[in-house]
Amino acid sequence: MKVDHETLHKIAHLARLDVRPEEEQPLVESLNDVLTWMEQLNEIDTTGVEPLTHISSELNVLREDVVAHQLPREQALENAPDKTDQYFQVPKVIE
């Protein structure tokens, strides 16, 4: 797969990035370098290698979730720039 300027524009639109024309070529080259590197990684024989879910065997010490002071919905929505009934209204991200 190769990233071209059209693909870069689609990615920038989905990520809500403002890419200036002088930034386009370096970004295209950088993305293509990353994809080339990923293709090289795909060539490695990983037969018998167990997938990692964590980089180390250490475990996080987590506390129990305890319900504490909750902000009432009406108060949470007071300063919302845009709301619909009981919900925050946000711009559509995926078209």
Side-chain angles (χ1 to χ4, degrees):
M1 177 181 179
K2 288 285 185 190
V3 175
D4 55 15
H5 288 273
E6 181 181 342
T7 306
L8 177 65
H9 291 169
K10 288 179 184 177
I11 293 169
H13 173 73
L14 289 173
R16 300 291 191 249
L17 298 175
D18 184 24
V19 178
R20 293 178 299 216
E22 63 272 12
E23 298 174 320
E24 287 182 16
Q25 190 57 37
L27 280 172
V28 167
E29 291 171 6
S30 179
L31 289 171
N32 281 319
D33 288 344
V34 169
L35 291 175
T36 300
W37 182 67
M38 293 304 295
E39 289 171 2
Q40 290 174 354
L41 288 177
N42 285 333
E43 295 172 5
I44 298 173
D45 180 18
T46 57
T47 306
V49 177
E50 291 292 322
L52 290 175
T53 56
H54 295 86
I55 196 68
S56 72
S57 59
E58 295 180 21
L59 297 175
N60 287 334
V61 179
L62 303 175
R63 64 171 172 74
E64 289 292 320
D65 284 338
V66 178
V67 177
H69 172 71
Q70 292 182 346
L71 193 61
R73 180 181 294 137
E74 296 78 22
Q75 189 178 353
L77 291 170
E78 280 179 4
N79 293 323
D82 201 3
K83 56 190 170 202
T84 304
D85 298 323
Q86 304 175 18
Y87 305 101
F88 291 98
Q89 188 162 348
V90 297
K92 184 177 179 180
V93 176
I94 299 176
E95 295 183 30

